[in-house]
Amino acid sequence: GEQTRDFVYVGDVVRANLAAIHHDISDCAVNISTTVETSVNALFKYLAEIINPGMKSIFAPPRQGEQQRSVLDNASARKQLDWEPVTPLTEGLKKTFEYFKTLLES
């Protein structure tokens, strides 16, 4: 669970896509990221706090070939799109959980 990822809230990704519509970036690539490396263990901890604080993690052997670390530089998105992420990971997880909870309850 110590492998890391750069988790971005979907609302921030939508804002980046909308910004891309209004900027000519056809000749460059941009990373839509937070530049924050978060371990899968930390992600589980945050989700457990939201869903069920008593939830226990279950570990499995590592997946062959799995990338161990992933974090991206979003400087180009900041410059080319005038974009930056605004939603902290824990807030994005809460919003996502509430969205799916509402769907399941209706």
Side-chain angles (χ1 to χ4, degrees), residues 33-80:
S33 68
T34 63
T35 72
V36 176
E37 214 171 345
T38 303
S39 74
V40 173
N41 283 333
L43 182 70
F44 175 83
K45 178 184 161 218
Y46 299 145
L47 284 169
E49 289 171 5
I50 296 166
I51 300 167
N52 177 2
M55 191 167 27
K56 302 290 183 206
S57 57
I58 300 171
F59 294 94
R63 294 180 182 170
Q64 185 176 357
E66 181 177 8
Q67 183 174 355
Q68 292 304 300
R69 295 183 66 204
S70 179
V71 63
L72 301 171
D73 180 359
N74 64 19
S76 184
R78 289 173 187 266
K79 180 180 177 184
Q80 301 293 329

Side-chain angles (χ1 to χ4, degrees), residues 5-26:
R5 300 292 182 265
D6 187 336
F7 297 101
V8 184
Y9 178 61
V10 67
D12 288 339
V13 175
V14 169
R15 284 188 318 95
N17 281 295
L18 291 172
I21 291 170
H22 300 289
H23 293 79
D24 181 16
I25 60 165
S26 58

